[in-house]
């Protein structure tokens, strides 16, 4: 199977309107978008996603960051006397994506930049748009193996696979 990676725009990146910037850079490079979804992950889901980091001192802060988000009003029900009940809830919004292409795991990390945005060069996503490590706006898988694990976690119903017409213009 062709190499795939899991790329995610974190809640700060979604709120700041940087989803298009992230997509643009992967598209410009020539990688192929296989899946894209705006998700509202639970705290448990994010703890699973970052389970490798659960012993780190910043883990609690990381999960708080990843579960931060706008206050969303959910219409719950219309009761018998027509009173409308609203539930206000802080809801994290993550944009989950799968990208495919030759060397996409490593190249994706290059497009993202260093974990610490201050150490990231201009031209990278974190280098161009972020400052603090705990607000670094995007995620990218660090190996082919973790990519496949993360894709299964965020897209449990699977991901389409299709051959692009443009592949012959991008690959020799
Ligand atoms: P990565 O996102 O570049 O792969 P990881 O080491 O996997 O970096 O860490 C996951 C996320 O945890 C980072 O993107 C960042 O948001 C956060 N993080 C990593 N190290 C620190 C730290 O030292 N302090 C606060 N947050 C951190
Ligand atoms: Mg990582």
């Amino acid at each position: 199977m062709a190499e795939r990676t899991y790329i995610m725009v974190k809640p700060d990146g979604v709120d700041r309107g940087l989803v298009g910037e992230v997509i643009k850079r992967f598209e410009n490079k020539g990688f192929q978008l296989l899946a894209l979804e705006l998700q509202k992950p639970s705290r448990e889901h994010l703890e699973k996603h970052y389970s490798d980091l659960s012993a780190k001192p910043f883990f609690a802060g990381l999960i708080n960051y990843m579960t931060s988000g706008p206050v969303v009003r959910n219409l719950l029900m219309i009761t018998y006397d027509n009173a409308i009940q609203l539930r206000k809830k802080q809801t994290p919004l993550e944009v989950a994506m799968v990208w495919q292409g030759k060397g996409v795991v490593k190249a994706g990390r290059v497009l993202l930049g260093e974990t610490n945005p201050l150490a990231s060069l201009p031209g990278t996503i974190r280098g161009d748009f972020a400052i603090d490590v705990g607000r670094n706006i995007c995620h990218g898988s660090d190996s082919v193996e973790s990519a496949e694990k993360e894709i299964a976690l965020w897209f449990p119903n699977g991901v389409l696979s299709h051959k692009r017409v443009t592949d012959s213009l991008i690959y020799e």
Side-chain angles (χ1 to χ4, degrees):
M1 191 199 288
E3 188 170 313
R4 311 188 297 179
T5 192
Y6 176 67
I7 299 294
M8 171 165 61
V9 187
K10 297 176 176 181
D12 51 340
V14 176
D15 204 278
R16 290 176 56 192
L18 296 172
V19 176
E21 276 292 341
V22 176
I23 291 174
K24 185 177 89 178
R25 288 154 189 250
F26 280 81
E27 281 187 333
N28 283 354
K29 179 75 177 163
F31 292 128
Q32 181 182 1
L33 182 63
L34 294 188
L36 170 76
E37 190 178 13
L38 183 64
Q39 294 197 13
K40 297 191 291 183
S42 66
R43 179 166 280 266
E44 294 67 42
H45 184 92
L46 289 159
E47 285 169 351
K48 216 169 179 184
H49 172 79
Y50 278 130
S51 57
D52 289 356
L53 300 174
S54 60
K56 299 278 185 193
F58 59 82
F59 185 69
L62 171 61
I63 298 301
N64 283 338
Y65 159 43
M66 294 297 290
T67 54
S68 65
V71 174
V72 172
R73 298 199 304 170
N74 287 331
L75 182 63
L76 270 187
M77 63 172 112
I78 299 174
T79 59
Y80 67 95
D81 60 354
N82 280 340
I84 296 171
Q85 291 191 6
L86 292 172
R87 181 179 57 182
K88 289 186 183 168
K89 196 168 173 256
Q90 210 179 13
T91 304
L93 295 173
E94 256 87 13
V95 170
M97 293 181 265
V98 179
W99 288 89
Q100 177 173 287
K102 188 195 282 182
V104 71
V105 169
K106 195 157 175 244
R109 302 263 305 178
V110 174
L111 291 177
L112 259 49
E114 304 290 320
T115 303
N116 179 0
L118 275 185
S120 298
L121 290 175
T124 65
I125 295 166
R126 287 165 173 168
D128 285 347
F129 298 109
I131 295 172
D132 271 355
V133 68
R135 297 289 183 273
N136 60 3
I137 70 170
C138 50
H139 164 84
S141 310
D142 60 11
S143 68
V144 170
E145 192 195 358
S146 50
E148 289 304 322
K149 254 172 49 187
E150 290 168 3
I151 291 167
L153 177 66
W154 289 86
F155 293 96
N157 297 325
V159 165
L160 288 178
S161 170
H162 52 283
K163 177 112 183 87
R164 278 189 310 193
V165 175
T166 42
D167 274 354
S168 62
L169 302 175
I170 288 168
Y171 298 111
E172 63 181 13

